[in-house]
Structures are given as structure tokens and as C-alpha cells.
Amino acid sequence: MLTVLCERYSSLQNQYMELVSRNSGSDATAATSKKRKAECEDYVPMIGFSGKAESSFSDEDSCKKPKDCIKAKISRAYVRTNPSDNSLIVRDGYQWRKYGQKVTRDNPSPRAYFKCSFAPSCPVKKKVQRSAEDPSILVATYEGEHNHAQHSTPALSSLSPNSGTSNPRSAPVSSSSSAPTKSSPPTVTLELMKPTGLGNDTKNPTQQVDEPAIQKILVQQMAASLTRDPTFTAALAAAISGKVLDHKW
DNA sequence: CGTGTTTGACCAGCGC
DNA sequence: GCGCTGGTCAAACACG
């Protein structure tokens, strides 16, 4: 089931990338041309899975005007959530304090403004808004870099804008039942490996598992531990139903 | 009582 | 200069 899930995830991601690349030439540039000075990023959206996402980074190659980008590193993360969930909470391992919310012109859903709880010593800010195209996707824009370590849910470290892409050799699935904040309900994180990480990446034979039996045992153990977690099954059902709906493009 | 959220008001940048 | 818009402030409020 996980393999099928990965394959469908890959194909859906490819379709989404195609759509984005098609639209980026016309709508995106027109829409961003009227934006203010701070919005100088180009984005390569990467949709995550089951409420979590891979971050996309635009620090070095996106800013055409260096003067606009000196003050803060800007990155953006796309997070898939349950569309019925109205909260603008993106759990990325850091603790945030909300200081404002605003309805913007180009998007009917409100935009929430967060500061790192370590402010003012940590200057990082975060903006979270639902995607206008797909309400199930939260767009989190990070400004600045944390000058401290994460202090909750290290399992979500791959969501951090400063941590980069998660290591494909790390555990592909992690569950987190401990809520870092009182307002965040317990969730299950499903960080699926990309297809290249499943052992069929011929470019990097040293990372392949030599013994299929070990792989099989690992998969069985992961599946057993996951199926024991009722929150995982609920989250998986929600993710699959969301993907099915997304497929009707 | 301390901490975090909500929300209206205010401010600054930008285009006309 | 004026109006629009995004971003921030801060008092009021909620909650444990």
C-alpha cells in the first residue's frame, strides 16, 4: 500500500509541477508584478503529503534585486492539510506567537502573521495563508533564520525552512502523538520517501539495501506499528481522499 | 495571574 | 495628495 501511495504521490506531484510550470509564465508573473518590494521570490512549489510538506527554497537564485534580499532570508513551504480544518497552524518544530491576521486582496482566506516565540532575540517571522487555488494547501512564508535550536517535535524537522530537504535515508514515516502546543491537536506525520529513495535509484548504488529480506522486515515492522496507531489510519484516509479529489483536474 | 489569541486601528509603501 | 493594500501594534479577551 505504501508503495502504491508513493507512486501515486509521484505522479500527482509531476502533474502539479506541469501545471505550475504552465501557469508560471503568465499568471504568476502578472500577479507578482504588482506585489510589494518584499515579494521578490520565485517559487518551485513542492506539495507535501498528509498535512506536511517539503519546503522549497528560493534564497540564492530567486532575488533579482540584491538590495531587497539583504535583510532577511525568505523561503516558502507548502503544507497540505485537511480543507475542513480552518486553523492556520503549520507545525514545523518551532514555537510561534501569532501577532496578526489580515484578509488580503488576492486571496479570500485570511493571512496569519507569526513571530518566533524567542523574539526579539530570534527575528524570524512567518506568514501562513491558504492557497487560493487549493484550500487544502497552506502556504507558509518564512522570513529570516532562527538563531536557536528547535524545541519541539523534531520529527517535523524536514519542514523547517533552514533544514533543507529531509534525508531520504531517514525514517520514511514518523508518527507524533505529542502536541507541542496546547492548541495543536495530536497529528500523525507521514513523510513519504520519494520514489528515488525506495531502492530503485541506480545512480547511487551504495545507498541500496543489499538484502531484500531486511527491507521486507522493516516494511512489515513499519506497517505494523502504523496500523496500531488509530490517528495514523485516520490521517491516511484523509490524505487519500484528498488526493482523490485533487486528481479531478 | 500568566500566556497566547483576536481584532480593530494605525502606519508606511506604492500607484495613480 | 489621495486611496488602496499589506504589515504591525496593542487593548481586550480567552484559557488553563
Side-chain angles (χ1 to χ4, degrees):
Chain A
M1 188 171 67
L2 287 171
T3 304
V4 171
L5 217 52
C6 284
E7 288 171 356
R8 290 180 180 176
Y9 162 70
S10 178
S11 66
L12 283 167
Q13 182 175 310
N14 288 336
Q15 290 180 28
Y16 181 77
M17 295 293 283
E18 276 184 40
L19 281 173
V20 168
S21 61
R22 247 181 279 166
N23 294 334
S24 61
S26 54
D27 295 344
T29 53
T32 54
S33 63
K34 297 184 74 174
K35 297 285 180 66
R36 295 197 174 199
K37 61 175 182 179
E39 309 213 9
C40 61
E41 318 97 287
D42 285 332
Y43 303 110
V44 183
M46 297 283 286
I47 294 185
F49 212 108
S50 179
K52 301 301 163 192
E54 299 172 32
S55 300
S56 61
F57 304 98
S58 56
D59 300 328
E60 280 79 25
D61 57 351
S62 63
C63 299
K64 291 166 180 122
K65 296 178 183 177
K67 63 174 184 178
D68 288 342
C69 304
I70 290 172
K71 54 181 178 182
K73 276 196 161 188
I74 297 176
S75 61
R76 187 171 284 194
Y78 295 79
V79 180
R80 180 171 291 282
T81 64
N82 190 343
S84 61
D85 183 9
N86 292 326
S87 65
L88 292 172
I89 297 173
V90 176
R91 302 207 299 146
D92 50 17
Y94 291 93
Q95 220 167 358
W96 300 92
R97 174 186 172 85
K98 186 176 181 180
Y99 66 91
Q101 182 167 316
K102 196 86 173 179
V103 176
T104 56
R105 196 173 63 93
D106 56 344
N107 194 329
S109 63
R111 174 184 297 172
Y113 300 90
F114 296 90
K115 284 178 183 172
C116 182
S117 290
F118 282 4
S121 63
C122 180
V124 182
K125 293 177 186 175
K126 178 173 79 169
K127 291 180 283 189
V128 179
Q129 188 174 30
R130 290 195 179 278
S131 169
E133 289 82 12
D134 187 349
S136 67
I137 294 176
L138 286 178
V139 182
T141 304
Y142 296 86
E143 298 181 20
E145 284 184 286
H146 292 280
N147 54 15
H148 57 88
Q150 297 183 25
H151 41 288
S152 64
T153 58
L156 305 181
S157 59
S158 65
L159 298 174
S160 166
N162 301 325
S163 61
T165 307
S166 61
N167 185 352
R169 296 289 296 169
S170 63
V173 179
S174 61
S175 66
S176 170
S177 58
S178 62
T181 61
K182 59 182 179 182
S183 59
S184 303
T187 59
V188 171
T189 303
L190 178 60
E191 295 180 73
L192 293 172
M193 288 188 295
K194 291 182 180 180
T196 55
L198 290 173
N200 54 1
D201 184 4
T202 55
K203 295 176 190 172
N204 195 352
T206 59
Q207 291 195 351
Q208 290 184 2
V209 178
D210 295 328
E211 301 174 41
I214 294 178
Q215 269 188 314
K216 194 174 179 178
I217 291 171
L218 283 173
V219 169
Q220 286 175 348
Q221 288 180 347
M222 285 191 294
S225 64
L226 287 170
T227 51
R228 279 196 297 268
D229 190 337
T231 58
F232 169 77
T233 54
L236 184 61
I240 292 172
S241 61
K243 283 293 176 185
V244 168
L245 290 174
D246 288 348
H247 204 61
K248 295 179 180 177
W249 287 342

